[in-house]
Amino acid sequence: MAAEDADATLSELGEFAVIDRLVADRRQPPAVSLGPGDDAAVVFAADGRTVVCTDMLVEGRHFRLDWSTPHDIGRKAIAQNAADIEAMGARATAFVVAFGAPGDTPTAAAVQVADGMWHEAALLGAGIVGGDTVAAPQWVISVAALGDLGGREPVCRDGARPGDTVAVTGVLGRSAAGYEVLRNGIDGFDELRRQHRVPSPPYGQGAIAAQAGATAMTDVSDGLLADLAHIASASGVSIDITLDTLTSDEAAVADAAGATGVDARQWVLGGGEDHALVATFPGAVPPNWRVLGTVAATAADGAPAVTVDGSPWIGNAGWQSF
Amino acid sequence: MAAEDADATLSELGEFAVIDRLVADRRQPPAVSLGPGDDAAVVFAADGRTVVCTDMLVEGRHFRLDWSTPHDIGRKAIAQNAADIEAMGARATAFVVAFGAPGDTPTAAAVQVADGMWHEAALLGAGIVGGDTVAAPQWVISVAALGDLGGREPVCRDGARPGDTVAVTGVLGRSAAGYEVLRNGIDGFDELRRQHRVPSPPYGQGAIAAQAGATAMTDVSDGLLADLAHIASASGVSIDITLDTLTSDEAAVADAAGATGVDARQWVLGGGEDHALVATFPGAVPPNWRVLGTVAATAADGAPAVTVDGSPWIGNAGWQSF
């Protein structure tokens, strides 16, 4: 950014100059046929299908500007959309971004959001190919992600079958722990704070799970039990997980749980936003995936259910959107 | 919607039940391989490329709930994204939608937004394939559109060449006129009000222009002169339009201009949001397109410029985002 613009607000600079700043010096990956600057972008889809999803983040609801840097927020917005693409067994190739903010927002902050988005997209080899910038009373970031299935069938939530093994890759409970540390204003626990601000989905593992024959998959955005319940319900099966398989996740958040007076298992079983991937496999589980439990037929007189060590779990049911 | 839920708010019903209401009984077009209900959707892209764009609408900035019905707002959100896809010479196939609203919003209003979106998408043979619903202090609607080029090259803004003919299809000035009628609380002019609430992009004409050899194209979202300036600047050419070619548009808004004390030509030349398509053609202009003027080389000592009857136009420069 030119020095004279460094302190300019969005309204001082104006939409087109802001967009020029946001798109300057970005290098698009080979999957992008036409990048930003026209009415729309063009992304290659050699597979003949495009995977697509969208997620919106609202200031004060999904992030706080006093907790996260604009760079963090940009990374998180891309990561949570990319995780949804991974959960289909696909790879994110491109993102479009709509960014709403008050006119007195420093343009430098918007550029930092874009930098964070590009940082995260680069981890995937993907590009930010287009967007929209508008005036809004608070920050609102809406991302849509495109993904490539690489010739594989998508892994949906409805394919889990009795006898399948349930496994997870990525971390659990960290984001929820970091949130509580931040909310309570407790010192320390920098790594947990960081993991709340910017999740680390296990990029690439979605495609690996698909190649390994995963029958169902989702990302952990609402909480492990809540997201497993989506698979159980869609597949018409029941799922039981073994608490002992989660000791490493519990251990990672145990000190923070002690400091905030929370049961660490509530974070591990009920905390969302880490964007781990959880899937069901009829055969062997790929490297880097940890077995959590098994899929069983739902009892003739019962509904699909998720149990922990054979019993219903009483506790945090996961994230509520409204 | 079940009768007992008719008065429920978004927060009373909860995210998943709201989504169930929004997606119930929708019929996806053949271009959609996998619709809503999983982590992401899958859309066919037989062309091997996907056109993609996004636009965000914020309550109070891009629409008012006392001027537009939720159905109108849903239609407009789809229409303005579809117009961007048309402007590439493509056809919209699918949309994803992020919807933010206060928790006390009636679920019925959100369903009306979705009904409006489906109404507009049906005009295109397209589907709403996925989305996100979140809590926000005011309504925010962000749409991303996917489009199909049908084997053609995209029509960008940078291809206009000296000697090309400039032509438009669709209407001009109506949305700006309807806005002023609404803003001034003037009775009558129902058709102009309607055209402000819900634009009518000339669907299908983008592909027709591409087939006819259009060298550059954009939709009129910021105002005719402002959008032609984007083509002139990107193409490194100058554009002159003849005011007499716009008499039918002027006539359509003349009464409203008289009633509000505005020069009708300001609306026709400077008003955005009608989402007409404007393009440049090296040869004959397709049926339903009206010739506006010509493309010329930019003077050796000058910058790309848009003129009206050979002179710079002094007036409304078009929409400002911030």
Side-chain angles (χ1 to χ4, degrees):
Chain A
M1 191 182 312
E4 66 270 27
D5 296 333
D7 298 324
T9 66
L10 297 179
S11 58
E12 285 164 358
L13 212 50
E15 179 184 12
F16 297 114
V18 167
I19 292 172
D20 285 346
R21 296 298 181 286
L22 296 178
V23 304
D25 301 325
R26 311 290 183 185
R27 184 178 306 216
Q28 295 291 342
V32 177
S33 173
L34 178 70
D38 220 293
D39 293 290
V42 183
V43 179
F44 289 112
D47 175 87
R49 296 166 298 176
T50 298
V51 185
V52 59
C53 65
T54 190
D55 259 337
M56 178 180 277
L57 290 80
V58 179
E59 178 185 347
R61 181 76 186 165
H62 303 97
F63 61 85
R64 288 174 52 162
L65 286 165
D66 56 337
W67 285 5
S68 297
T69 66
H71 194 276
D72 290 338
I73 296 162
R75 288 191 65 182
K76 179 177 173 177
I78 294 299
Q80 69 182 52
N81 276 277
D84 280 327
I85 299 292
E86 290 276 335
M88 303 304 288
R91 187 179 62 83
T93 53
F95 302 88
V96 290
V97 177
F99 177 59
D104 63 1
T105 301
T107 300
V111 171
Q112 287 158 19
V113 171
D115 285 347
M117 289 179 166
W118 273 99
H119 178 110
E120 194 72 16
L123 300 178
L124 294 146
I128 316 291
V129 297
D132 189 23
T133 59
V134 302
Q138 72 291 317
W139 283 29
V140 188
I141 298 174
S142 190
V143 173
L146 304 187
D148 175 24
L149 284 162
R152 297 177 299 276
E153 285 308 298
V155 182
C156 299
R157 295 176 180 175
D158 63 358
R161 294 293 170 262
D164 285 355
T165 299
V166 180
V168 69
T169 188
V171 299
L172 297 167
R174 311 297 202 282
S175 179
Y179 173 82
E180 282 299 311
V181 165
L182 283 160
R183 196 173 68 83
N184 288 290
I186 296 172
D187 285 337
F189 303 108
D190 290 352
E191 179 61 13
L192 295 177
R193 293 164 187 267
R194 193 191 63 73
Q195 289 179 294
H196 175 69
R197 293 182 183 118
V198 181
S200 299
Y203 295 139
Q205 291 296 327
I208 287 171
Q211 284 160 345
T215 50
M217 182 157 52
T218 192
D219 73 310
V220 180
S221 53
D222 296 323
L224 178 65
L225 296 184
D227 289 304
L228 284 175
H230 297 155
I231 288 179
S233 173
S235 300
V237 297
S238 288
I239 289 174
D240 185 58
I241 66 168
T242 302
L243 202 50
D244 277 353
T245 62
L246 296 166
T247 50
S248 68
D249 287 308
E250 277 184 53
V253 297
D255 286 351
T260 54
V262 172
D263 181 348
R265 291 175 299 184
Q266 298 290 5
W267 287 336
V268 173
L269 295 170
E273 293 204 286
D274 284 301
H275 300 288
L277 293 173
V278 62
T280 56
F281 297 89
V285 165
N288 296 318
W289 288 70
R290 295 173 287 145
V291 172
L292 296 182
T294 53
V295 178
T298 294
D301 59 347
V306 178
T307 50
V308 178
D309 291 335
S311 300
W313 182 257
I314 309 300
N316 181 354
W319 166 256
Q320 292 298 318
S321 191
F322 289 102
Chain B
M1 191 182 312
E4 66 271 26
D5 295 334
D7 298 325
T9 66
L10 297 179
S11 58
E12 285 164 357
L13 212 50
E15 178 184 13
F16 297 114
V18 168
I19 291 173
D20 285 346
R21 296 298 181 286
L22 296 178
V23 305
D25 302 325
R26 311 288 184 187
R27 185 177 305 213
Q28 295 290 344
V32 178
S33 174
L34 178 70
D38 219 294
D39 293 290
V42 182
V43 179
F44 289 112
D47 177 86
R49 297 166 297 177
T50 298
V51 185
V52 59
C53 66
T54 191
D55 257 337
M56 179 181 278
L57 289 80
V58 179
E59 178 185 347
R61 180 75 186 165
H62 301 97
F63 61 84
R64 287 173 52 161
L65 285 167
D66 56 339
W67 285 4
S68 298
T69 66
H71 193 276
D72 290 339
I73 294 162
R75 289 191 64 183
K76 180 177 174 176
I78 294 298
Q80 70 183 52
N81 277 277
D84 280 326
I85 299 292
E86 290 277 334
M88 302 304 288
R91 186 180 62 83
T93 53
F95 302 89
V96 290
V97 176
F99 177 58
D104 63 2
T105 301
T107 300
V111 171
Q112 287 158 21
V113 171
D115 286 346
M117 289 179 164
W118 272 99
H119 177 109
E120 195 71 17
L123 300 177
L124 294 146
I128 317 292
V129 298
D132 190 23
T133 59
V134 302
Q138 72 292 315
W139 283 28
V140 188
I141 299 174
S142 192
V143 174
L146 304 188
D148 175 24
L149 284 162
R152 296 178 300 276
E153 285 308 297
V155 182
C156 298
R157 295 178 179 174
D158 62 357
R161 294 292 170 263
D164 285 354
T165 299
V166 180
V168 69
T169 189
V171 299
L172 297 168
R174 311 297 203 280
S175 179
Y179 173 81
E180 281 300 311
V181 166
L182 283 160
R183 197 174 67 84
N184 287 291
I186 296 173
D187 286 335
F189 303 108
D190 290 353
E191 179 61 14
L192 296 177
R193 295 164 187 267
R194 193 191 63 75
Q195 289 179 293
H196 176 69
R197 294 182 183 118
V198 182
S200 299
Y203 294 139
Q205 292 295 327
I208 287 171
Q211 284 160 346
T215 49
M217 182 156 53
T218 192
D219 74 310
V220 180
S221 53
D222 296 323
L224 178 65
L225 296 183
D227 289 304
L228 284 174
H230 298 153
I231 288 179
S233 173
S235 299
V237 297
S238 288
I239 289 174
D240 185 57
I241 67 169
T242 302
L243 202 49
D244 278 354
T245 62
L246 296 167
T247 49
S248 68
D249 287 307
E250 278 186 49
V253 299
D255 288 351
T260 54
V262 172
D263 181 347
R265 291 175 298 184
Q266 298 291 4
W267 287 338
V268 172
L269 295 170
E273 293 205 283
D274 285 301
H275 300 287
L277 293 173
V278 62
T280 55
F281 297 90
V285 165
N288 297 319
W289 287 71
R290 294 172 288 143
V291 172
L292 296 183
T294 53
V295 178
T298 294
D301 59 348
V306 178
T307 50
V308 179
D309 292 334
S311 299
W313 183 257
I314 309 300
N316 180 354
W319 166 257
Q320 292 298 319
S321 191
F322 289 104

